[in-house]
Amino acid sequence: MGLVKAAILGVVEGLTEFLPVSSTFHLLLAARLAGLPADEFTKLFEIFIQAGAILAVVWLYRRPILTRLDLACKTAAAFLPTAFFGIALYRPIKNVFFEKQWAQVFIFIFVGLVFIGFELLIRRGFIKLNKTIASLTWKEALIVGTGQVLSFFPGVSRAGAVIIIMMLLGYRRAEAAFFSFFLAIPTILSAAFFDLYRSRHALVTFSHQVLPLILGFVISFLVALMAVSWFIRYLQTHNLNLFGFYRFLLGGLAILYFLLMA
């Protein structure tokens, strides 16, 4: 992998990992556009850039992570159903949905429709957003963690699933995003370690490609720092419609691209 492609994928990961736009969908699409094969090195590279993105969240929220024991415990509780279903569903989802590009696109667009429909319900007063993260209960943490399982399907978005479920429970958008960042730490780290263990032989095989790995990691970290900070500020005064319309636009372009390349 060249350094330019490594840098581009690092930017894509850093921008999309914590926004409700599905980093998996973006990486799959970007890799296809860049002509990258789905080989062992590409999988290893994706692990590295994902680790860079999650390190950004750990750095930004290092103080709450160390001082808010109650939130850390509820985050761990929310992670339990994700871990259970992740082990059970990992192989079938990887073998089916990661190979079906049309299914990915339609899921990607459908979730955009969910965002816009959900915001309409809020404007009509059917859902009230008045709760803060301090009121999160153990039961709600388990519900959110179970809902996060939907993000296993490429195109859904882990952050999007968590934010929507928390808003359904009455939490403000920025508070929901904040918890999605917290829950991302054990979720992404465990997935990264699992995938790294499965690809451990690739660390030796591709040791000569260390520069693209480092570059992708660093760029993903720096871009994620900016993306997370911006997203929290954005949700304090805006809704999810922007991301819904973005999904329609990118999904439509992806359909057009696949039709032309067929």
Side-chain angles (χ1 to χ4, degrees):
M1 180 184 296
L3 295 182
V4 173
K5 291 181 179 180
I8 291 173
L9 290 179
V11 170
V12 171
E13 169 63 21
L15 277 176
T16 61
E17 182 60 58
F18 302 107
L19 301 184
V21 294
S22 180
S23 62
T24 300
F25 179 83
H26 280 78
L27 285 175
L28 290 172
L29 184 60
R32 182 181 176 89
L33 290 172
L36 294 175
D39 57 14
E40 287 299 315
F41 179 76
T42 300
K43 295 176 183 178
L44 181 65
F45 180 79
E46 290 174 353
I47 296 171
F48 267 74
I49 58 176
Q50 198 171 48
I54 196 61
L55 181 61
V57 167
V58 173
W59 174 256
L60 283 172
Y61 294 103
R62 59 193 182 281
R63 184 166 297 177
I65 290 172
L66 295 174
T67 59
R68 298 186 62 173
L69 181 60
D70 62 326
L71 184 57
C73 291
K74 288 172 183 175
T75 300
F79 172 66
L80 290 178
T82 300
F84 173 79
F85 287 107
I87 294 172
L89 299 176
Y90 177 85
R91 189 172 298 279
I93 291 177
K94 281 280 187 179
N95 292 341
V96 177
F97 284 90
F98 277 73
E99 303 299 328
K100 305 293 185 181
Q101 61 186 24
W102 287 106
Q104 296 166 18
V105 173
F106 288 129
I107 290 173
F108 185 79
I109 294 174
F110 175 76
V111 174
L113 181 63
V114 171
F115 287 171
I116 293 173
F118 201 80
E119 290 293 351
L120 180 61
L121 292 176
I122 293 173
R123 287 199 303 274
R124 296 287 177 85
F126 291 102
I127 300 174
K128 304 291 185 181
L129 305 182
N130 51 25
K131 296 166 70 174
T132 67
I133 199 68
S135 63
L136 183 70
T137 66
W138 293 95
K139 179 181 178 180
E140 289 174 333
L142 290 172
I143 292 173
V144 172
T146 303
Q148 186 180 222
V149 173
L150 293 171
S151 67
F152 294 164
F153 299 93
V156 172
S157 165
R158 189 202 56 78
V162 171
I163 291 171
I164 284 294
I165 292 170
M166 291 199 69
M167 289 169 63
L168 188 61
L169 294 172
Y171 287 88
R172 298 170 185 168
R173 297 179 186 87
E175 297 286 309
F178 176 78
F179 189 68
S180 79
F181 299 152
F182 254 68
L183 187 52
I185 296 173
T187 302
I188 296 177
L189 282 180
S190 61
F193 280 123
F194 180 68
D195 286 336
L196 188 61
Y197 174 76
R198 287 169 55 89
S199 304
R200 59 192 181 280
H201 59 280
L203 289 171
V204 177
T205 305
F206 299 105
S207 58
H208 60 286
Q209 289 262 43
V210 66
L211 191 55
L213 294 175
I214 294 175
L215 180 64
F217 177 93
V218 172
I219 290 179
S220 177
F221 170 77
L222 295 175
V223 173
L225 283 176
M226 295 183 288
V228 168
S229 299
W230 171 82
F231 188 43
I232 285 292
R233 292 195 303 271
Y234 180 85
L235 288 184
Q236 290 173 350
T237 55
H238 297 79
N239 58 34
L240 295 176
N241 282 338
L242 172 66
F243 303 100
F245 291 126
Y246 170 78
R247 282 174 172 265
F248 291 159
L249 176 61
L250 183 60
L253 291 174
I255 290 174
L256 180 61
Y257 170 76
F258 292 146
L259 289 174
L260 291 175
M261 297 300 292

